[in-house]
Amino acid sequence: MSEQISYEKRQGTLYLHLPPEIDHHSSREIRDKTEEYLRESGIRRIVFDFSRTTFMDSSGIGALLGRYKRMKERGGSVAVCGVDERIRRLLRISGVDRLIPETKEA
């Protein structure tokens, strides 16, 4: 498990504090670890905290969309926070911003 991704559960929300770079390795961890949390507890919402992230490739987009689909199936929701202009542009170009809203909380 990467020491650069931290997970925090508060009142039914799982916060993922993401690493500086999201690539296929970290994306796999995001998928696998969030599945563990979803199996064991009453998570109703996932918030991805991008405050330290400056790079994300297509596997990161895939991980976000996968978590969005999974939470939608469960009647839950997903949001992002701490997004800089570079990541915001990537989310907009990929259309993710139309599915996953930005929030101020972290």
Side-chain angles (χ1 to χ4, degrees):
M1 175 168 65
S2 169
E3 293 181 24
Q4 296 182 338
I5 302 175
S6 65
Y7 303 83
E8 178 184 1
K9 182 182 160 193
R10 282 186 269 151
Q11 300 174 337
T13 298
L14 178 63
Y15 296 89
L16 278 74
H17 304 284
L18 301 170
E21 295 189 1
I22 301 174
D23 58 15
H24 68 280
H25 294 293
S26 53
S27 295
R28 184 178 313 124
E29 179 186 337
I30 289 167
R31 285 190 307 270
D32 294 347
K33 192 71 172 172
T34 54
E35 275 305 310
E36 287 178 33
Y37 276 98
L38 291 175
R39 277 194 300 270
E40 71 185 34
S41 59
I43 301 296
R44 304 290 298 155
R45 185 168 189 235
I46 297 174
V47 176
F48 291 94
D49 177 6
F50 282 90
S51 58
R52 296 184 303 145
T53 306
T54 57
F55 172 82
M56 179 169 62
D57 67 14
S58 60
S59 63
I61 295 292
L64 286 174
L65 290 173
R67 298 315 92 210
Y68 167 80
K69 180 179 177 186
R70 185 80 166 91
M71 291 305 290
K72 187 174 179 181
E73 290 169 354
R74 296 169 56 102
S77 64
V78 175
V80 298
C81 70
V83 179
D84 71 8
E85 284 306 313
R86 182 178 296 157
I87 299 297
R88 186 175 288 118
R89 182 172 184 268
L90 181 59
L91 296 175
R92 186 174 56 246
I93 289 170
S94 64
V96 171
D97 67 333
R98 293 189 304 265
L99 300 173
I100 301 175
E102 197 168 335
T103 183
K104 300 284 186 212
E105 72 180 288

